[in-house]
Amino acid sequence: MDWSNADELKEKVHALLLEKRGAGVNVTRIARIYDGSCIYLLKPDRLRYWLRSIALRDADDTLAEMNEQGF
Amino acid sequence: MLSDNAPSICSGRLDKELHLPSTARHELLDFIATHLLPWRFDPERPKRHSETDLTEQLADYLNTATYYSDKWSHVHFSCETGDERNRGRKIDLTVKPRAAVIMINGRRHNKYDALFPIECKRLPTPKKKDRDEREYVITEPGTTGGIQRFKFGHHGATHSLAAMIGFVQGKTMSYWKGRVNNWISQLAKRPSPQWYLSDKLQKLQNKNSSKLHVMHSSHPRTGGLDDIELRHLWIEMN
């Protein structure tokens, strides 16, 4: 995987995932990108997004989407 | 509330070839195949010869094997279950989820749903005046031939994969493969045939031994049904 221009990519990912609604509401999105034989999970680098319990939920959501894709 | 609508984004697709259709069921068939010889030579197994006795014994053995399996403890085998579409017809052996829901090709299977049906046949067919020696393939008149019932959708109409287990009780497996394929060839020669040379059994590489043969065949179906693949597991019982 080519990680060149990672800083530029980081800005784009932030723009994609983080949204400010009004004065006091920040929305953080989780993205799952399916690309050939790879699945990318894009989430903030905070521990609460990467707990084992969250990984189980991620797995459920991923399986549901794979099911929709016909797998 | 905003927190009830977890904002998530998904994009793109996985390669269609990444996970071939029926992979899990083929692996389950391999599991069955690897247990046929241990079942055949189980010293505790009472010696029986009838198809129903052998099928029941095999189901008992496989259920014990799945119970202790790390990989297949979520399935179990049942004898003489009704076909999903033709309830009056009985399937010799079916495999169903146990305390699990299994998704295959987008279809949900719970404990009442067969993952695939299995038909068991003896070779040779017992000699009786009302029985067709070609019973593994076809019965005429009738619709209870082994391959025939799947090919024409009498059994397994809702499935694209099924299996047949052959209990070889006389002659060799090579002999029976020749006979079975010859019967199919003869059927394909008839005027307006419903059978084709492509219905013949074909060997699977590296799956055979002197007492166990694994073959497969593929059959187009009419009436809007998908093609069906049959996996043939033959075990020598002599």
PDB file of all heavy atoms in Angstrom, chain A residues 21 25 27-39 65-67 69 71, chain B residues 2 6-19 103-107:
ATOM      1  N   ARG A  21     -22.232  20.104  13.311  1.00  0.00           N
ATOM      2  CA  ARG A  21     -23.616  20.544  13.096  1.00  0.00           C
ATOM      3  C   ARG A  21     -23.949  21.592  14.150  1.00  0.00           C
ATOM      4  O   ARG A  21     -24.068  21.253  15.332  1.00  0.00           O
ATOM      5  CB  ARG A  21     -24.585  19.374  13.223  1.00  0.00           C
ATOM      6  CG  ARG A  21     -24.507  18.403  12.070  1.00  0.00           C
ATOM      7  CD  ARG A  21     -25.599  17.358  12.178  1.00  0.00           C
ATOM      8  NE  ARG A  21     -25.423  16.346  11.154  1.00  0.00           N
ATOM      9  CZ  ARG A  21     -26.156  15.250  11.061  1.00  0.00           C
ATOM     10  NH1 ARG A  21     -27.114  15.031  11.953  1.00  0.00           N
ATOM     11  NH2 ARG A  21     -25.942  14.385  10.110  1.00  0.00           N
ATOM     12  N   VAL A  25     -22.681  20.406  18.201  1.00  0.00           N
ATOM     13  CA  VAL A  25     -22.796  18.991  17.823  1.00  0.00           C
ATOM     14  C   VAL A  25     -21.716  18.616  16.807  1.00  0.00           C
ATOM     15  O   VAL A  25     -21.610  19.228  15.745  1.00  0.00           O
ATOM     16  CB  VAL A  25     -24.185  18.691  17.209  1.00  0.00           C
ATOM     17  CG1 VAL A  25     -24.272  17.222  16.801  1.00  0.00           C
ATOM     18  CG2 VAL A  25     -25.282  19.044  18.194  1.00  0.00           C
ATOM     19  N   VAL A  27     -20.382  15.392  14.617  1.00  0.00           N
ATOM     20  CA  VAL A  27     -20.768  14.059  14.171  1.00  0.00           C
ATOM     21  C   VAL A  27     -19.523  13.360  13.627  1.00  0.00           C
ATOM     22  O   VAL A  27     -18.802  13.909  12.799  1.00  0.00           O
ATOM     23  CB  VAL A  27     -21.844  14.130  13.064  1.00  0.00           C
ATOM     24  CG1 VAL A  27     -22.165  12.725  12.552  1.00  0.00           C
ATOM     25  CG2 VAL A  27     -23.102  14.795  13.603  1.00  0.00           C
ATOM     26  N   THR A  28     -19.301  12.153  14.139  1.00  0.00           N
ATOM     27  CA  THR A  28     -18.178  11.348  13.628  1.00  0.00           C
ATOM     28  C   THR A  28     -18.746  10.152  12.890  1.00  0.00           C
ATOM     29  O   THR A  28     -19.512   9.360  13.454  1.00  0.00           O
ATOM     30  CB  THR A  28     -17.301  10.841  14.791  1.00  0.00           C
ATOM     31  OG1 THR A  28     -16.855  11.970  15.544  1.00  0.00           O
ATOM     32  CG2 THR A  28     -16.103  10.065  14.266  1.00  0.00           C
ATOM     33  N   ARG A  29     -18.394  10.023  11.637  1.00  0.00           N
ATOM     34  CA  ARG A  29     -18.885   8.891  10.856  1.00  0.00           C
ATOM     35  C   ARG A  29     -17.844   7.779  10.866  1.00  0.00           C
ATOM     36  O   ARG A  29     -16.661   8.008  11.022  1.00  0.00           O
ATOM     37  CB  ARG A  29     -19.150   9.299   9.406  1.00  0.00           C
ATOM     38  CG  ARG A  29     -20.268  10.283   9.224  1.00  0.00           C
ATOM     39  CD  ARG A  29     -20.586  10.439   7.748  1.00  0.00           C
ATOM     40  NE  ARG A  29     -21.660  11.391   7.544  1.00  0.00           N
ATOM     41  CZ  ARG A  29     -21.475  12.707   7.411  1.00  0.00           C
ATOM     42  NH1 ARG A  29     -20.249  13.201   7.455  1.00  0.00           N
ATOM     43  NH2 ARG A  29     -22.490  13.502   7.224  1.00  0.00           N
ATOM     44  N   ILE A  30     -18.338   6.557  10.673  1.00  0.00           N
ATOM     45  CA  ILE A  30     -17.462   5.399  10.485  1.00  0.00           C
ATOM     46  C   ILE A  30     -17.613   4.983   9.032  1.00  0.00           C
ATOM     47  O   ILE A  30     -18.738   4.866   8.544  1.00  0.00           O
ATOM     48  CB  ILE A  30     -17.895   4.224  11.390  1.00  0.00           C
ATOM     49  CG1 ILE A  30     -18.002   4.674  12.850  1.00  0.00           C
ATOM     50  CG2 ILE A  30     -16.963   3.038  11.246  1.00  0.00           C
ATOM     51  CD1 ILE A  30     -16.722   5.170  13.439  1.00  0.00           C
ATOM     52  N   ALA A  31     -16.518   4.756   8.349  1.00  0.00           N
ATOM     53  CA  ALA A  31     -16.619   4.367   6.936  1.00  0.00           C
ATOM     54  C   ALA A  31     -16.036   2.975   6.724  1.00  0.00           C
ATOM     55  O   ALA A  31     -15.020   2.611   7.321  1.00  0.00           O
ATOM     56  CB  ALA A  31     -15.876   5.369   6.060  1.00  0.00           C
ATOM     57  N   ARG A  32     -16.737   2.199   5.901  1.00  0.00           N
ATOM     58  CA  ARG A  32     -16.210   0.897   5.477  1.00  0.00           C
ATOM     59  C   ARG A  32     -16.055   0.951   3.964  1.00  0.00           C
ATOM     60  O   ARG A  32     -17.028   1.176   3.244  1.00  0.00           O
ATOM     61  CB  ARG A  32     -17.148  -0.237   5.874  1.00  0.00           C
ATOM     62  CG  ARG A  32     -16.985  -0.700   7.303  1.00  0.00           C
ATOM     63  CD  ARG A  32     -17.926  -1.846   7.628  1.00  0.00           C
ATOM     64  NE  ARG A  32     -19.306  -1.389   7.590  1.00  0.00           N
ATOM     65  CZ  ARG A  32     -19.893  -0.729   8.598  1.00  0.00           C
ATOM     66  NH1 ARG A  32     -19.217  -0.461   9.694  1.00  0.00           N
ATOM     67  NH2 ARG A  32     -21.144  -0.327   8.500  1.00  0.00           N
ATOM     68  N   ILE A  33     -14.835   0.786   3.505  1.00  0.00           N
ATOM     69  CA  ILE A  33     -14.552   0.845   2.073  1.00  0.00           C
ATOM     70  C   ILE A  33     -14.214  -0.568   1.590  1.00  0.00           C
ATOM     71  O   ILE A  33     -13.296  -1.206   2.115  1.00  0.00           O
ATOM     72  CB  ILE A  33     -13.351   1.771   1.774  1.00  0.00           C
ATOM     73  CG1 ILE A  33     -13.519   3.119   2.492  1.00  0.00           C
ATOM     74  CG2 ILE A  33     -13.177   1.944   0.263  1.00  0.00           C
ATOM     75  CD1 ILE A  33     -14.681   3.950   2.022  1.00  0.00           C
ATOM     76  N   TYR A  34     -14.972  -1.055   0.642  1.00  0.00           N
ATOM     77  CA  TYR A  34     -14.724  -2.379   0.060  1.00  0.00           C
ATOM     78  C   TYR A  34     -13.985  -2.187  -1.258  1.00  0.00           C
ATOM     79  O   TYR A  34     -14.451  -1.478  -2.136  1.00  0.00           O
ATOM     80  CB  TYR A  34     -16.050  -3.108  -0.189  1.00  0.00           C
ATOM     81  CG  TYR A  34     -16.829  -3.348   1.084  1.00  0.00           C
ATOM     82  CD1 TYR A  34     -17.723  -2.391   1.560  1.00  0.00           C
ATOM     83  CD2 TYR A  34     -16.656  -4.512   1.813  1.00  0.00           C
ATOM     84  CE1 TYR A  34     -18.424  -2.589   2.733  1.00  0.00           C
ATOM     85  CE2 TYR A  34     -17.356  -4.725   2.998  1.00  0.00           C
ATOM     86  CZ  TYR A  34     -18.238  -3.759   3.449  1.00  0.00           C
ATOM     87  OH  TYR A  34     -18.922  -3.955   4.618  1.00  0.00           O
ATOM     88  N   ASP A  35     -12.823  -2.833  -1.355  1.00  0.00           N
ATOM     89  CA  ASP A  35     -12.006  -2.632  -2.553  1.00  0.00           C
ATOM     90  C   ASP A  35     -11.349  -3.954  -2.935  1.00  0.00           C
ATOM     91  O   ASP A  35     -10.327  -4.327  -2.354  1.00  0.00           O
ATOM     92  CB  ASP A  35     -10.945  -1.560  -2.267  1.00  0.00           C
ATOM     93  CG  ASP A  35     -10.069  -1.296  -3.488  1.00  0.00           C
ATOM     94  OD1 ASP A  35     -10.504  -1.622  -4.608  1.00  0.00           O
ATOM     95  OD2 ASP A  35      -8.948  -0.786  -3.311  1.00  0.00           O
ATOM     96  N   GLY A  36     -11.946  -4.662  -3.895  1.00  0.00           N
ATOM     97  CA  GLY A  36     -11.365  -5.929  -4.352  1.00  0.00           C
ATOM     98  C   GLY A  36     -11.359  -6.961  -3.249  1.00  0.00           C
ATOM     99  O   GLY A  36     -12.405  -7.444  -2.832  1.00  0.00           O
ATOM    100  N   SER A  37     -10.178  -7.282  -2.755  1.00  0.00           N
ATOM    101  CA  SER A  37     -10.085  -8.300  -1.701  1.00  0.00           C
ATOM    102  C   SER A  37      -9.819  -7.655  -0.338  1.00  0.00           C
ATOM    103  O   SER A  37      -9.488  -8.361   0.619  1.00  0.00           O
ATOM    104  CB  SER A  37      -8.965  -9.288  -2.032  1.00  0.00           C
ATOM    105  OG  SER A  37      -7.738  -8.607  -2.167  1.00  0.00           O
ATOM    106  N   CYS A  38      -9.942  -6.324  -0.241  1.00  0.00           N
ATOM    107  CA  CYS A  38      -9.644  -5.631   1.023  1.00  0.00           C
ATOM    108  C   CYS A  38     -10.874  -4.895   1.549  1.00  0.00           C
ATOM    109  O   CYS A  38     -11.702  -4.412   0.781  1.00  0.00           O
ATOM    110  CB  CYS A  38      -8.520  -4.613   0.831  1.00  0.00           C
ATOM    111  SG  CYS A  38      -6.939  -5.365   0.417  1.00  0.00           S
ATOM    112  N   ILE A  39     -10.958  -4.827   2.855  1.00  0.00           N
ATOM    113  CA  ILE A  39     -11.977  -3.998   3.505  1.00  0.00           C
ATOM    114  C   ILE A  39     -11.244  -3.007   4.406  1.00  0.00           C
ATOM    115  O   ILE A  39     -10.417  -3.409   5.232  1.00  0.00           O
ATOM    116  CB  ILE A  39     -12.933  -4.839   4.364  1.00  0.00           C
ATOM    117  CG1 ILE A  39     -13.629  -5.900   3.514  1.00  0.00           C
ATOM    118  CG2 ILE A  39     -13.974  -3.953   5.042  1.00  0.00           C
ATOM    119  CD1 ILE A  39     -14.448  -6.892   4.317  1.00  0.00           C
ATOM    120  N   GLU A  65     -23.415  -6.093   5.328  1.00  0.00           N
ATOM    121  CA  GLU A  65     -23.178  -5.439   4.031  1.00  0.00           C
ATOM    122  C   GLU A  65     -22.685  -6.435   2.983  1.00  0.00           C
ATOM    123  O   GLU A  65     -23.048  -6.352   1.816  1.00  0.00           O
ATOM    124  CB  GLU A  65     -22.164  -4.298   4.207  1.00  0.00           C
ATOM    125  CG  GLU A  65     -22.806  -3.070   4.836  1.00  0.00           C
ATOM    126  CD  GLU A  65     -21.792  -2.043   5.297  1.00  0.00           C
ATOM    127  OE1 GLU A  65     -20.582  -2.233   5.063  1.00  0.00           O
ATOM    128  OE2 GLU A  65     -22.210  -1.051   5.896  1.00  0.00           O
ATOM    129  N   MET A  66     -21.845  -7.397   3.427  1.00  0.00           N
ATOM    130  CA  MET A  66     -21.401  -8.431   2.477  1.00  0.00           C
ATOM    131  C   MET A  66     -22.585  -9.255   2.000  1.00  0.00           C
ATOM    132  O   MET A  66     -22.654  -9.658   0.839  1.00  0.00           O
ATOM    133  CB  MET A  66     -20.348  -9.332   3.130  1.00  0.00           C
ATOM    134  CG  MET A  66     -19.004  -8.656   3.295  1.00  0.00           C
ATOM    135  SD  MET A  66     -17.823  -9.694   4.157  1.00  0.00           S
ATOM    136  CE  MET A  66     -17.586 -10.997   2.965  1.00  0.00           C
ATOM    137  N   ASN A  67     -23.532  -9.495   2.920  1.00  0.00           N
ATOM    138  CA  ASN A  67     -24.740 -10.216   2.540  1.00  0.00           C
ATOM    139  C   ASN A  67     -25.502  -9.452   1.467  1.00  0.00           C
ATOM    140  O   ASN A  67     -25.982 -10.018   0.481  1.00  0.00           O
ATOM    141  CB  ASN A  67     -25.605 -10.434   3.779  1.00  0.00           C
ATOM    142  CG  ASN A  67     -26.847 -11.219   3.455  1.00  0.00           C
ATOM    143  OD1 ASN A  67     -26.830 -12.097   2.614  1.00  0.00           O
ATOM    144  ND2 ASN A  67     -27.933 -10.899   4.129  1.00  0.00           N
ATOM    145  N   GLN A  69     -24.237  -7.525  -0.625  1.00  0.00           N
ATOM    146  CA  GLN A  69     -23.460  -7.593  -1.863  1.00  0.00           C
ATOM    147  C   GLN A  69     -23.555  -8.971  -2.522  1.00  0.00           C
ATOM    148  O   GLN A  69     -22.976  -9.199  -3.574  1.00  0.00           O
ATOM    149  CB  GLN A  69     -21.983  -7.283  -1.583  1.00  0.00           C
ATOM    150  CG  GLN A  69     -21.717  -5.839  -1.215  1.00  0.00           C
ATOM    151  CD  GLN A  69     -20.222  -5.554  -1.080  1.00  0.00           C
ATOM    152  OE1 GLN A  69     -19.388  -6.197  -1.705  1.00  0.00           O
ATOM    153  NE2 GLN A  69     -19.882  -4.581  -0.262  1.00  0.00           N
ATOM    154  N   PHE A  71     -22.712 -12.011  -0.977  1.00  0.00           N
ATOM    155  CA  PHE A  71     -21.796 -13.050  -0.496  1.00  0.00           C
ATOM    156  C   PHE A  71     -22.494 -13.956   0.510  1.00  0.00           C
ATOM    157  O   PHE A  71     -23.442 -13.548   1.143  1.00  0.00           O
ATOM    158  CB  PHE A  71     -20.562 -12.403   0.162  1.00  0.00           C
ATOM    159  CG  PHE A  71     -19.629 -11.835  -0.850  1.00  0.00           C
ATOM    160  CD1 PHE A  71     -19.672 -10.488  -1.160  1.00  0.00           C
ATOM    161  CD2 PHE A  71     -18.721 -12.647  -1.510  1.00  0.00           C
ATOM    162  CE1 PHE A  71     -18.814  -9.956  -2.095  1.00  0.00           C
ATOM    163  CE2 PHE A  71     -17.866 -12.117  -2.453  1.00  0.00           C
ATOM    164  CZ  PHE A  71     -17.921 -10.772  -2.755  1.00  0.00           C
TER     165      PHE A  71
ATOM    166  N   LEU B   2     -30.126  11.706  17.639  1.00  0.00           N
ATOM    167  CA  LEU B   2     -28.972  11.598  16.737  1.00  0.00           C
ATOM    168  C   LEU B   2     -28.169  10.332  17.013  1.00  0.00           C
ATOM    169  O   LEU B   2     -27.721   9.642  16.107  1.00  0.00           O
ATOM    170  CB  LEU B   2     -28.090  12.843  16.925  1.00  0.00           C
ATOM    171  CG  LEU B   2     -26.907  12.989  15.979  1.00  0.00           C
ATOM    172  CD1 LEU B   2     -27.413  13.109  14.547  1.00  0.00           C
ATOM    173  CD2 LEU B   2     -26.076  14.209  16.354  1.00  0.00           C
ATOM    174  N   ALA B   6     -26.623   5.868  13.951  1.00  0.00           N
ATOM    175  CA  ALA B   6     -25.169   5.858  13.837  1.00  0.00           C
ATOM    176  C   ALA B   6     -24.775   6.187  12.409  1.00  0.00           C
ATOM    177  O   ALA B   6     -25.119   5.448  11.486  1.00  0.00           O
ATOM    178  CB  ALA B   6     -24.634   4.492  14.223  1.00  0.00           C
ATOM    179  N   PRO B   7     -24.139   7.332  12.202  1.00  0.00           N
ATOM    180  CA  PRO B   7     -23.779   7.692  10.840  1.00  0.00           C
ATOM    181  C   PRO B   7     -22.638   6.822  10.338  1.00  0.00           C
ATOM    182  O   PRO B   7     -21.587   6.787  10.937  1.00  0.00           O
ATOM    183  CB  PRO B   7     -23.336   9.155  10.975  1.00  0.00           C
ATOM    184  CG  PRO B   7     -22.998   9.344  12.400  1.00  0.00           C
ATOM    185  CD  PRO B   7     -23.675   8.293  13.193  1.00  0.00           C
ATOM    186  N   SER B   8     -22.883   6.080   9.293  1.00  0.00           N
ATOM    187  CA  SER B   8     -21.809   5.258   8.736  1.00  0.00           C
ATOM    188  C   SER B   8     -21.860   5.340   7.223  1.00  0.00           C
ATOM    189  O   SER B   8     -22.883   5.648   6.627  1.00  0.00           O
ATOM    190  CB  SER B   8     -21.945   3.805   9.180  1.00  0.00           C
ATOM    191  OG  SER B   8     -23.076   3.224   8.595  1.00  0.00           O
ATOM    192  N   ILE B   9     -20.730   5.103   6.653  1.00  0.00           N
ATOM    193  CA  ILE B   9     -20.597   5.209   5.204  1.00  0.00           C
ATOM    194  C   ILE B   9     -20.050   3.880   4.718  1.00  0.00           C
ATOM    195  O   ILE B   9     -19.139   3.327   5.324  1.00  0.00           O
ATOM    196  CB  ILE B   9     -19.588   6.311   4.826  1.00  0.00           C
ATOM    197  CG1 ILE B   9     -20.016   7.660   5.417  1.00  0.00           C
ATOM    198  CG2 ILE B   9     -19.395   6.393   3.324  1.00  0.00           C
ATOM    199  CD1 ILE B   9     -18.932   8.716   5.325  1.00  0.00           C
ATOM    200  N   CYS B  10     -20.607   3.336   3.664  1.00  0.00           N
ATOM    201  CA  CYS B  10     -19.935   2.202   3.045  1.00  0.00           C
ATOM    202  C   CYS B  10     -19.879   2.438   1.551  1.00  0.00           C
ATOM    203  O   CYS B  10     -20.772   3.054   0.973  1.00  0.00           O
ATOM    204  CB  CYS B  10     -20.608   0.880   3.391  1.00  0.00           C
ATOM    205  SG  CYS B  10     -21.902   0.339   2.319  1.00  0.00           S
ATOM    206  N   SER B  11     -18.782   1.996   0.975  1.00  0.00           N
ATOM    207  CA  SER B  11     -18.570   2.272  -0.438  1.00  0.00           C
ATOM    208  C   SER B  11     -17.760   1.142  -1.056  1.00  0.00           C
ATOM    209  O   SER B  11     -16.996   0.447  -0.379  1.00  0.00           O
ATOM    210  CB  SER B  11     -17.814   3.600  -0.567  1.00  0.00           C
ATOM    211  OG  SER B  11     -17.483   3.832  -1.909  1.00  0.00           O
ATOM    212  N   GLY B  12     -17.931   0.959  -2.361  1.00  0.00           N
ATOM    213  CA  GLY B  12     -17.142  -0.031  -3.090  1.00  0.00           C
ATOM    214  C   GLY B  12     -17.730  -1.426  -3.024  1.00  0.00           C
ATOM    215  O   GLY B  12     -18.810  -1.642  -2.460  1.00  0.00           O
ATOM    216  N   ARG B  13     -17.020  -2.381  -3.591  1.00  0.00           N
ATOM    217  CA  ARG B  13     -17.469  -3.776  -3.614  1.00  0.00           C
ATOM    218  C   ARG B  13     -16.264  -4.688  -3.461  1.00  0.00           C
ATOM    219  O   ARG B  13     -15.147  -4.324  -3.825  1.00  0.00           O
ATOM    220  CB  ARG B  13     -18.139  -4.113  -4.951  1.00  0.00           C
ATOM    221  CG  ARG B  13     -19.497  -3.492  -5.173  1.00  0.00           C
ATOM    222  CD  ARG B  13     -20.170  -4.148  -6.361  1.00  0.00           C
ATOM    223  NE  ARG B  13     -20.473  -5.534  -6.095  1.00  0.00           N
ATOM    224  CZ  ARG B  13     -21.563  -5.924  -5.445  1.00  0.00           C
ATOM    225  NH1 ARG B  13     -22.441  -5.048  -5.008  1.00  0.00           N
ATOM    226  NH2 ARG B  13     -21.796  -7.203  -5.231  1.00  0.00           N
ATOM    227  N   LEU B  14     -16.526  -5.873  -2.938  1.00  0.00           N
ATOM    228  CA  LEU B  14     -15.484  -6.900  -2.934  1.00  0.00           C
ATOM    229  C   LEU B  14     -15.538  -7.651  -4.265  1.00  0.00           C
ATOM    230  O   LEU B  14     -16.594  -7.699  -4.914  1.00  0.00           O
ATOM    231  CB  LEU B  14     -15.708  -7.867  -1.779  1.00  0.00           C
ATOM    232  CG  LEU B  14     -15.492  -7.289  -0.380  1.00  0.00           C
ATOM    233  CD1 LEU B  14     -15.933  -8.289   0.676  1.00  0.00           C
ATOM    234  CD2 LEU B  14     -14.028  -6.910  -0.166  1.00  0.00           C
ATOM    235  N   ASP B  15     -14.408  -8.253  -4.641  1.00  0.00           N
ATOM    236  CA  ASP B  15     -14.388  -9.051  -5.871  1.00  0.00           C
ATOM    237  C   ASP B  15     -15.395 -10.188  -5.765  1.00  0.00           C
ATOM    238  O   ASP B  15     -15.481 -10.857  -4.741  1.00  0.00           O
ATOM    239  CB  ASP B  15     -12.993  -9.667  -6.087  1.00  0.00           C
ATOM    240  CG  ASP B  15     -12.024  -8.635  -6.626  1.00  0.00           C
ATOM    241  OD1 ASP B  15     -12.496  -7.622  -7.160  1.00  0.00           O
ATOM    242  OD2 ASP B  15     -10.808  -8.858  -6.502  1.00  0.00           O
ATOM    243  N   LYS B  16     -16.136 -10.418  -6.841  1.00  0.00           N
ATOM    244  CA  LYS B  16     -17.100 -11.517  -6.847  1.00  0.00           C
ATOM    245  C   LYS B  16     -16.406 -12.866  -6.665  1.00  0.00           C
ATOM    246  O   LYS B  16     -16.963 -13.817  -6.125  1.00  0.00           O
ATOM    247  CB  LYS B  16     -17.877 -11.526  -8.174  1.00  0.00           C
ATOM    248  CG  LYS B  16     -19.062 -10.582  -8.182  1.00  0.00           C
ATOM    249  CD  LYS B  16     -20.184 -11.126  -7.315  1.00  0.00           C
ATOM    250  CE  LYS B  16     -21.326 -10.131  -7.209  1.00  0.00           C
ATOM    251  NZ  LYS B  16     -22.235 -10.442  -6.089  1.00  0.00           N
ATOM    252  N   GLU B  17     -15.159 -12.968  -7.164  1.00  0.00           N
ATOM    253  CA  GLU B  17     -14.443 -14.241  -7.113  1.00  0.00           C
ATOM    254  C   GLU B  17     -13.793 -14.484  -5.752  1.00  0.00           C
ATOM    255  O   GLU B  17     -13.192 -15.532  -5.529  1.00  0.00           O
ATOM    256  CB  GLU B  17     -13.342 -14.291  -8.191  1.00  0.00           C
ATOM    257  CG  GLU B  17     -13.851 -14.277  -9.621  1.00  0.00           C
ATOM    258  CD  GLU B  17     -14.330 -12.915 -10.074  1.00  0.00           C
ATOM    259  OE1 GLU B  17     -13.864 -11.915  -9.490  1.00  0.00           O
ATOM    260  OE2 GLU B  17     -15.181 -12.833 -10.973  1.00  0.00           O
ATOM    261  N   LEU B  18     -13.917 -13.488  -4.855  1.00  0.00           N
ATOM    262  CA  LEU B  18     -13.223 -13.604  -3.577  1.00  0.00           C
ATOM    263  C   LEU B  18     -13.710 -14.800  -2.772  1.00  0.00           C
ATOM    264  O   LEU B  18     -12.945 -15.508  -2.144  1.00  0.00           O
ATOM    265  CB  LEU B  18     -13.449 -12.312  -2.780  1.00  0.00           C
ATOM    266  CG  LEU B  18     -12.606 -12.128  -1.538  1.00  0.00           C
ATOM    267  CD1 LEU B  18     -11.137 -12.053  -1.896  1.00  0.00           C
ATOM    268  CD2 LEU B  18     -13.025 -10.854  -0.821  1.00  0.00           C
ATOM    269  N   HIS B  19     -14.988 -15.031  -2.804  1.00  0.00           N
ATOM    270  CA  HIS B  19     -15.566 -16.139  -2.051  1.00  0.00           C
ATOM    271  C   HIS B  19     -16.491 -16.884  -2.997  1.00  0.00           C
ATOM    272  O   HIS B  19     -17.586 -16.430  -3.297  1.00  0.00           O
ATOM    273  CB  HIS B  19     -16.330 -15.589  -0.854  1.00  0.00           C
ATOM    274  CG  HIS B  19     -16.846 -16.651   0.061  1.00  0.00           C
ATOM    275  ND1 HIS B  19     -16.023 -17.413   0.855  1.00  0.00           N
ATOM    276  CD2 HIS B  19     -18.101 -17.083   0.301  1.00  0.00           C
ATOM    277  CE1 HIS B  19     -16.753 -18.262   1.548  1.00  0.00           C
ATOM    278  NE2 HIS B  19     -18.008 -18.081   1.232  1.00  0.00           N
ATOM    279  N   MET B 103     -26.160 -17.979   6.950  1.00  0.00           N
ATOM    280  CA  MET B 103     -26.477 -17.308   5.687  1.00  0.00           C
ATOM    281  C   MET B 103     -25.625 -17.928   4.588  1.00  0.00           C
ATOM    282  O   MET B 103     -24.400 -17.994   4.713  1.00  0.00           O
ATOM    283  CB  MET B 103     -26.164 -15.819   5.777  1.00  0.00           C
ATOM    284  CG  MET B 103     -26.920 -15.058   6.857  1.00  0.00           C
ATOM    285  SD  MET B 103     -28.687 -14.966   6.568  1.00  0.00           S
ATOM    286  CE  MET B 103     -28.730 -14.022   5.047  1.00  0.00           C
ATOM    287  N   ILE B 104     -26.260 -18.375   3.524  1.00  0.00           N
ATOM    288  CA  ILE B 104     -25.513 -18.896   2.375  1.00  0.00           C
ATOM    289  C   ILE B 104     -26.074 -18.255   1.119  1.00  0.00           C
ATOM    290  O   ILE B 104     -27.279 -18.381   0.843  1.00  0.00           O
ATOM    291  CB  ILE B 104     -25.603 -20.433   2.268  1.00  0.00           C
ATOM    292  CG1 ILE B 104     -24.999 -21.071   3.520  1.00  0.00           C
ATOM    293  CG2 ILE B 104     -24.890 -20.931   1.021  1.00  0.00           C
ATOM    294  CD1 ILE B 104     -25.075 -22.578   3.527  1.00  0.00           C
ATOM    295  N   ASN B 105     -25.196 -17.603   0.380  1.00  0.00           N
ATOM    296  CA  ASN B 105     -25.603 -16.931  -0.858  1.00  0.00           C
ATOM    297  C   ASN B 105     -26.822 -16.038  -0.638  1.00  0.00           C
ATOM    298  O   ASN B 105     -27.754 -16.023  -1.440  1.00  0.00           O
ATOM    299  CB  ASN B 105     -25.914 -17.952  -1.958  1.00  0.00           C
ATOM    300  CG  ASN B 105     -24.681 -18.727  -2.369  1.00  0.00           C
ATOM    301  OD1 ASN B 105     -23.565 -18.320  -2.056  1.00  0.00           O
ATOM    302  ND2 ASN B 105     -24.875 -19.835  -3.049  1.00  0.00           N
ATOM    303  N   GLY B 106     -26.832 -15.329   0.483  1.00  0.00           N
ATOM    304  CA  GLY B 106     -27.921 -14.407   0.769  1.00  0.00           C
ATOM    305  C   GLY B 106     -29.190 -15.067   1.274  1.00  0.00           C
ATOM    306  O   GLY B 106     -30.175 -14.380   1.532  1.00  0.00           O
ATOM    307  N   ARG B 107     -29.180 -16.393   1.427  1.00  0.00           N
ATOM    308  CA  ARG B 107     -30.376 -17.094   1.906  1.00  0.00           C
ATOM    309  C   ARG B 107     -30.178 -17.481   3.371  1.00  0.00           C
ATOM    310  O   ARG B 107     -29.140 -18.011   3.738  1.00  0.00           O
ATOM    311  CB  ARG B 107     -30.611 -18.350   1.059  1.00  0.00           C
ATOM    312  CG  ARG B 107     -31.834 -19.134   1.464  1.00  0.00           C
ATOM    313  CD  ARG B 107     -32.069 -20.311   0.509  1.00  0.00           C
ATOM    314  NE  ARG B 107     -32.933 -21.292   1.120  1.00  0.00           N
ATOM    315  CZ  ARG B 107     -33.135 -22.502   0.625  1.00  0.00           C
ATOM    316  NH1 ARG B 107     -32.547 -22.872  -0.492  1.00  0.00           N
ATOM    317  NH2 ARG B 107     -33.928 -23.352   1.237  1.00  0.00           N
TER     318      ARG B 107
END
